[in-house]
């Protein structure tokens, strides 16, 4: 019986993991708390930890998990910027869900873009109060506008296809361009900033991409640019974004992720004094729309996340190669074919 400590559990996680796991094979204990240095010891005696985007897998957390017997970290997400991979190497294997539904995230990015461009978030509030005035709700056509896509991986490609369906021109920046991608003009990041009416981020968070949207890159952008971030909060320097919105350089912004989201997103903070001034001011801006890291949240994605994670845990328990294992050497993989990372 494989024992799994499941952190940051939400009701929708439990629904799909209970439906797809076999209780004769694995026992899942659902913890509501996030995984961090204060909570890591809860996993003592478990074989596997299942974690999510805002859990913190630091060196100390990994050491505590290892001492407590954990030998697999199963990330039920695609991004993995919150793990100290070097600390885990030779101790705890790590798997993730590389693709569960690029459509979920790309479609949410387009939903955000349409909302901020046509101001449907304001219309919704107005008509609920029987205010049928259109004043101030003017938007613009997406047709024939130039969208700059940063990162042309699985999600970026789906987003590009959606944009093409709207008749938009597509620029892209990716250090590893895909030569098979048709109808897309690759350019430098600076060119993308200078030429795009809309910029949408779809690259991972890494030391190279941290604060890729900053004071300098914002200064290069067109006046009135629309910025969409459904990737990771750390890609954007939030203070620089706020200044860009205040100076009207940025016409509108839609964020599904925020660099300090860890303690905030997924929680009900409506009854407390909210002390993140930057997020408070961003949310207060009429041309900024924030969702709470929900781009992944479709039935299809939740099903695929649970299925892939359970398959990886089964591979681990049976001593098999884990198809979705990752480690810090993956970029220059030295793994023998058919072997685990260590
Ligand atoms: P992917 O690995 O398929 O694609 C990432 C692309 O980014 C690759 O083409 C890569 O070459 C490119 N890239 C790497 N470094 C870059 C750089 N410096 N500048 C520009 N591009 C760079 O990943 P994906 O499945 O498309 O996911 C992209 C990101 O979306 C994930 O890393 C994750 O952070 C985020 N995500 C968010 C949610 C959500 O709910 N909001 C859900 C899933 C994924």
């Amino acid at each position: 019986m494989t024992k799994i400590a499941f952190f940051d559990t939400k009701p929708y996680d439990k629904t799909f993991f209970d439906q797809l796991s076999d209780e004769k094979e694995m026992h899942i204990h659902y913890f509501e708390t996030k995984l961090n240095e204060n909570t890591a010891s809860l996993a003592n005696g478990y074989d596997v930890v299942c974690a999510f985007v805002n859990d913190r897998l630091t060196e100390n957390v990994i050491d505590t998990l290892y001492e407590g017997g954990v030998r697999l970290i199963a990330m039920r997400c695609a991004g993995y910027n919150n793990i100290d991979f070097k600390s885990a190497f030779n101790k705890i294997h790590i798997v993730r869900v590389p693709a569960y539904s690029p459509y979920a995230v790309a479609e949410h990015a387009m939903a955000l873009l349409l909302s901020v461009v046509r101001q449907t978030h304001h219309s919704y509030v107005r008509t609920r109060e029987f205010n049928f005035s259109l004043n101030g709700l003017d938007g613009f056509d997406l047709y024939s506008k130039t969208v700059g896509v940063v990162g042309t991986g699985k999600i970026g490609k789906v987003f590009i296809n959606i944009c093409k369906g709207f008749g938009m021109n597509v620029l892209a920046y990716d250090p590893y361009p895909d030569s098979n991608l048709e109808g897309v003009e690759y350019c430098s990041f600076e060119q993308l900033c200078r030429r795009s009416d809309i910029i949408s981020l779809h690259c991972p968070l890494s030391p190279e991409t941290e604060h890729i949207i900053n004071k300098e890159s914002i200064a290069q952008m067109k006046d009135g640019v629309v910025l969409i971030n459904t990737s990771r909060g750390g890609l954007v320097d939030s203070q620089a974004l706020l200044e860009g919105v205040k100076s009207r350089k940025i016409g509108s912004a839609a964020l599904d992720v925020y660099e300090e989201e860890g303690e905030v997103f997924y929680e009900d903070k409506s009854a407390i004094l909210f002390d993140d001034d930057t997020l408070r001011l961003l949310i207060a801006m009429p041309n900024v729309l924030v969702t709470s890291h929900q781009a992944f949240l479709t039935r299809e994605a939740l099903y695929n996340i649970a299925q892939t994670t359970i398959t990886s845990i089964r591979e681990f328990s049976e001593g098999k190669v884990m198809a979705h294992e990752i480690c810090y050497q993956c970029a220059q993989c030295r793994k023998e074919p058919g072997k685990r990372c260590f």
Side-chain angles (χ1 to χ4, degrees):
M1 173 72 74
T2 307
K3 290 175 72 186
I4 303 157
F6 197 106
F7 283 86
D8 201 9
T9 310
K10 297 289 180 262
Y12 44 80
D13 296 315
K14 199 169 176 308
T15 303
F16 285 91
F17 275 82
D18 280 350
Q19 186 190 320
L20 294 169
S21 61
D22 180 350
E23 57 186 26
K24 290 192 221 85
E25 181 191 13
M26 41 185 87
H27 167 73
I28 308 179
H29 188 104
Y30 294 102
F31 294 101
E32 283 185 22
T33 182
K34 290 189 174 64
L35 175 60
N36 56 40
E37 300 197 356
N38 298 322
T39 61
S41 59
L42 289 171
N44 283 356
Y46 288 85
D47 310 297
V48 179
V49 150
C50 187
F52 198 48
V53 292
N54 288 324
D55 291 314
R56 294 205 176 147
L57 292 122
T58 59
E59 183 178 359
N60 285 346
V61 168
I62 284 169
D63 286 346
T64 307
L65 296 179
Y66 184 65
E67 282 159 23
V70 171
R71 294 294 178 266
L72 177 71
I73 294 168
M75 299 301 296
R76 53 182 194 282
C77 51
Y80 45 80
N81 52 287
N82 49 339
I83 308 172
D84 184 335
F85 275 98
K86 282 202 173 167
S87 303
F89 197 72
N90 273 332
K91 291 180 181 164
I92 305 183
H93 294 275
I94 300 170
V95 290
R96 65 167 181 146
V97 185
Y100 42 84
S101 173
Y103 309 102
V105 183
E107 288 171 15
H108 191 72
M110 180 48 87
L112 290 175
L113 173 57
L114 285 169
S115 293
V116 289
V117 163
R118 302 304 300 270
Q119 307 204 47
T120 40
H121 53 310
H122 292 305
S123 311
Y124 173 75
V125 174
R126 280 196 194 179
T127 55
R128 278 175 68 88
E129 294 183 348
F130 304 98
N131 174 356
F132 300 108
S133 158
L134 294 183
N135 295 341
L137 294 185
D138 44 308
F140 63 81
D141 295 358
L142 292 181
Y143 175 75
S144 89
K145 296 294 183 303
T146 297
V147 61
V149 177
V150 182
T152 55
K154 291 177 284 295
I155 296 170
K157 282 195 184 87
V158 175
F159 184 70
I160 285 170
N161 274 338
I162 295 172
C163 290
K164 283 191 200 160
F166 276 76
M168 301 168 82
N169 306 312
V170 183
L171 289 178
Y173 168 67
D174 193 311
Y176 308 98
D178 182 343
S179 53
N180 296 320
L181 207 52
E182 288 176 7
V184 173
E185 181 187 339
Y186 277 103
C187 62
S188 67
F189 179 63
E190 185 185 333
Q191 276 301 311
L192 182 142
C193 289
R194 291 194 186 284
R195 293 169 57 195
S196 301
D197 301 299
I198 296 140
I199 295 176
S200 191
L201 305 178
H202 299 287
C203 61
L205 176 60
S206 67
E208 294 75 48
T209 59
E210 189 175 5
H211 285 187
I212 194 170
I213 304 297
N214 54 36
K215 197 174 162 197
E216 289 72 36
S217 53
I218 289 172
Q220 292 164 351
M221 292 175 195
K222 284 188 177 181
D223 291 345
V225 65
V226 178
L227 179 72
I228 310 291
N229 187 7
T230 55
S231 197
R232 282 292 180 270
L235 298 175
V236 177
D237 176 342
S238 312
Q239 197 54 43
L241 173 68
L242 181 60
E243 294 307 320
V245 173
K246 278 161 81 177
S247 70
R248 291 157 177 75
K249 177 77 176 171
I250 294 182
S252 42
L255 313 172
D256 186 51
V257 286
Y258 171 66
E259 60 179 331
E260 299 297 334
E261 71 178 49
E263 300 302 315
V264 179
F265 281 15
Y266 302 136
E267 308 302 330
D268 181 358
K269 300 280 181 187
S270 57
I272 61 147
L273 189 67
F274 193 72
D275 57 7
D276 182 331
D277 288 345
T278 308
L279 183 55
R280 208 153 43 82
L281 284 172
L282 282 169
I283 287 173
M285 297 288 178
N287 47 352
V288 176
L289 177 57
V290 176
T291 54
S292 179
H293 206 142
Q294 75 171 77
F296 73 100
L297 198 65
T298 66
R299 282 193 295 273
E300 293 80 359
L302 290 168
Y303 180 93
N304 292 337
I305 287 170
Q307 193 177 52
T308 304
T309 305
I310 287 167
T311 302
S312 293
I313 294 173
R314 193 170 290 135
E315 288 168 346
F316 164 77
S317 305
E318 293 173 356
K320 294 182 178 160
V321 173
M322 293 172 282
H324 302 306
E325 183 174 15
I326 41 167
C327 75
Y328 79 99
Q329 300 188 108
C330 280
Q332 299 99 27
C333 186
R334 289 173 224 150
K335 183 167 63 174
E336 288 176 45
K339 290 263 168 74
R340 289 182 171 185
C341 287
F342 56 87

